[in-house]
Amino acid sequence: MKFPEGFLWGAATASYQVEGGIDNCDWAQAGGQGRVPQAGKAIDHYNRFEGDFDIAQSLSHSAHRFSLEWARIEPEEGKFDQMAIEHYRNVIRALKDRGLVPFVTLWHFTLPLWFSEKGGFSHPDGEKVFARYCEFVIIELGSEATYWMTMNEPLIWASGGHLRGVWPPFHKNLLKFIGVISKLANAHNLAYTCMKRSHPEIQIGIAKHNMYFDADAFPWNIISARIMRWFWNHRFLKKISGHQDFIGLNFYIHKRFGTGTSYVQTEMGWDIFPEAFYSVLFELKRYNLPVYVTENGIADSTDDKRGEYIATYLQSLLRAIESGVNIRGYFYWSLFDNFEWALGFEKRFGLVAIDYNTLERTIRPSAHRYTEIILKNEV
């Protein structure tokens, strides 16, 4: 079972989860208030990125997904930090020097304090503020990379912060949740237009978290699964139709309505169910766009399940390719153990283990199994 020639292989990270030293965003503020764990120095990737990319290169990765920190680039409204831009220019060039194709996310969950304090995306000008930031970055860095994502998992962010109330800004309001999703779609569309204005050649998408919804034979459960599949998986993608050049898919979760089979679970309590991965990928065929799996991974502190998890999920990905889905790359989440949002540093997703006392990096056996797949381009 061979993957297509030129298929991109890599892993993913996100700025706040690995960089360390970010204290001017909403998550840092909430951490200081004791409402979420503190990221602190994280894994100090901001200072160690070159050595970290050496590790990715040693594992035969051909691409890497990472994010920029908006609060570093625009620490005050309308005032941009050129030193931050140059830092990220160096990051992108370090990847390319090692033969890794950069996939750059412009916003991965954390908001600059000044933006969150004025209401974030709920502010009447929220979409314009975001598009201005995206356009500035592309004017400065658009010639450095081909693949850009405006945002990561917009529905997950909106749900955590505006529906479940467990993430900043800690709201629990269904109508606000639905409204902010529309604002995020508008923000992406406006940013897409602004970004293409200065660099029409770049490829722009989002990293969209889709779930697999199924049901038992009870009619209401079947209807519920269909409604959720439409609302969660497709409504946002339809709202940005015509404003994306590829789809980035993040996949982790299976949701069943009613009774059914019990599955082995990850340390996050998520089912290990590779057939669900196939189904969610196949759903994307209707959009007739290139697909990159921008996140897929397992919390596995003992590394007992990760290698087999990667192999079986990639078998499902190959099935989707054989079914006509135009999948062009796969990014495991994550390259390193990192700060997992409201869970702090407890969960271990990394191909590379982190000793949080010394920050020593140790490559796990599963990372080598992934490398074997990469080198053979087959599973």
Side-chain angles (χ1 to χ4, degrees):
M1 298 176 70
K2 286 273 189 181
F3 291 86
E5 290 298 319
F7 193 85
L8 293 176
W9 296 103
T13 61
S15 55
Y16 191 73
Q17 294 178 263
V18 296
E19 284 186 353
I22 302 166
D23 57 9
N24 61 336
C25 72
D26 56 346
W27 271 84
Q29 181 186 61
Q33 295 168 345
R35 305 186 74 177
V36 296
Q38 292 182 303
K41 64 184 178 182
I43 70 167
D44 195 30
H45 178 71
Y46 187 85
N47 296 306
R48 303 178 185 222
F49 67 89
E50 291 189 276
D52 289 344
F53 295 159
D54 287 340
I55 294 173
Q57 182 187 38
S58 76
L59 294 172
S60 300
H61 294 190
S62 58
H64 182 73
R65 180 185 170 219
F66 73 102
S67 74
L68 312 183
E69 186 61 31
W70 184 358
R72 290 193 192 274
I73 294 172
E74 192 178 3
E76 298 179 53
E77 184 170 7
K79 296 182 179 179
F80 297 95
D81 188 328
Q82 201 62 37
M83 289 182 62
I85 287 291
E86 294 309 312
H87 170 81
Y88 288 118
R89 191 188 310 279
N90 292 335
V91 169
I92 294 171
R93 290 182 176 179
L95 286 169
K96 294 192 292 185
D97 288 346
R98 291 160 177 79
L100 281 78
V101 177
F103 275 64
V104 190
T105 308
L106 287 157
W107 170 55
H108 196 125
F109 289 171
T110 53
L111 298 178
L113 262 182
W114 61 263
F115 187 52
S116 66
E117 288 175 350
K118 68 186 292 182
F121 287 97
S122 298
H123 189 275
D125 293 329
E127 299 104 314
K128 293 179 182 178
V129 171
F130 178 70
R132 181 189 64 198
Y133 156 68
C134 293
E135 183 175 29
F136 174 82
V137 170
I138 294 304
I139 290 171
E140 295 289 329
L141 299 176
S143 61
E144 301 285 352
T146 299
Y147 300 98
W148 296 84
M149 284 160 281
T150 56
M151 57 185 65
N152 180 75
E153 299 182 348
L155 271 72
I156 289 287
W157 179 83
S159 172
H162 293 274
L163 182 63
R164 296 184 294 122
V166 294
W167 292 0
F170 304 105
H171 296 156
K172 294 182 180 180
N173 187 311
L174 177 60
L175 292 179
K176 198 160 191 175
F177 164 65
I178 294 172
V180 82
I181 291 172
S182 294
K183 297 276 282 185
L184 291 171
N186 293 339
H188 166 83
N189 291 344
L190 183 57
Y192 179 94
T193 301
C194 293
M195 292 162 70
K196 285 285 189 175
R197 189 159 54 208
S198 60
H199 281 277
E201 76 283 3
I202 63 174
Q203 299 292 293
I204 303 172
I206 65 167
K208 177 69 175 65
H209 179 280
N210 281 6
M211 302 186 200
Y212 178 61
F213 298 96
D214 68 348
D216 59 18
F218 187 62
W220 176 245
N221 288 336
I222 294 172
I223 293 170
S224 296
R226 288 176 179 171
I227 291 171
M228 284 304 300
R229 193 176 302 125
W230 165 80
F231 176 81
W232 191 272
N233 290 355
H234 298 291
R235 182 172 176 264
F236 194 93
L237 290 174
K238 291 182 183 299
K239 282 181 173 292
I240 64 172
S241 177
H243 293 84
Q244 55 180 340
D245 304 311
F246 65 88
I247 297 173
L249 173 70
N250 294 1
F251 179 79
Y252 299 99
I253 297 173
H254 161 225
K255 168 65 177 175
R256 181 159 180 95
F257 291 87
T259 58
T261 305
S262 296
Y263 298 91
V264 175
Q265 294 188 327
T266 74
E267 291 173 7
M268 293 290 290
W270 299 337
D271 294 339
I272 299 178
F273 186 18
E275 292 81 2
F277 188 38
Y278 166 82
S279 296
V280 169
L281 283 165
F282 187 76
E283 285 182 7
L284 299 179
K285 184 177 179 180
R286 70 184 71 176
Y287 295 100
N288 197 31
L289 287 169
V291 175
Y292 296 90
V293 176
T294 40
E295 286 184 29
N296 172 239
I298 178 174
D300 179 20
S301 57
T302 60
D303 203 43
D304 291 332
K305 300 182 178 71
R306 184 175 289 105
E308 187 67 14
Y309 178 99
I310 292 171
T312 55
Y313 275 68
L314 285 174
Q315 287 171 350
S316 289
L317 187 151
L318 261 178
R319 283 182 56 214
I321 291 175
E322 292 167 353
S323 298
V325 187
N326 183 12
I327 307 170
R328 298 187 181 182
Y330 175 86
F331 295 84
Y332 175 82
W333 180 270
S334 172
L335 180 58
F336 300 102
D337 292 338
N338 57 47
F339 177 80
E340 287 296 334
W341 304 111
L343 300 175
F345 294 99
E346 173 190 352
K347 303 301 180 182
R348 301 280 185 152
F349 278 88
L351 295 171
V352 180
I354 300 293
D355 181 325
Y356 287 111
N357 293 317
T358 65
L359 297 184
E360 180 183 2
R361 277 84 161 133
T362 304
I363 298 172
R364 290 189 165 110
S366 58
H368 295 299
R369 184 167 183 184
Y370 184 34
T371 296
E372 291 173 5
I373 294 170
I374 294 170
L375 291 175
K376 293 178 180 179
N377 208 43
E378 66 180 28
V379 63

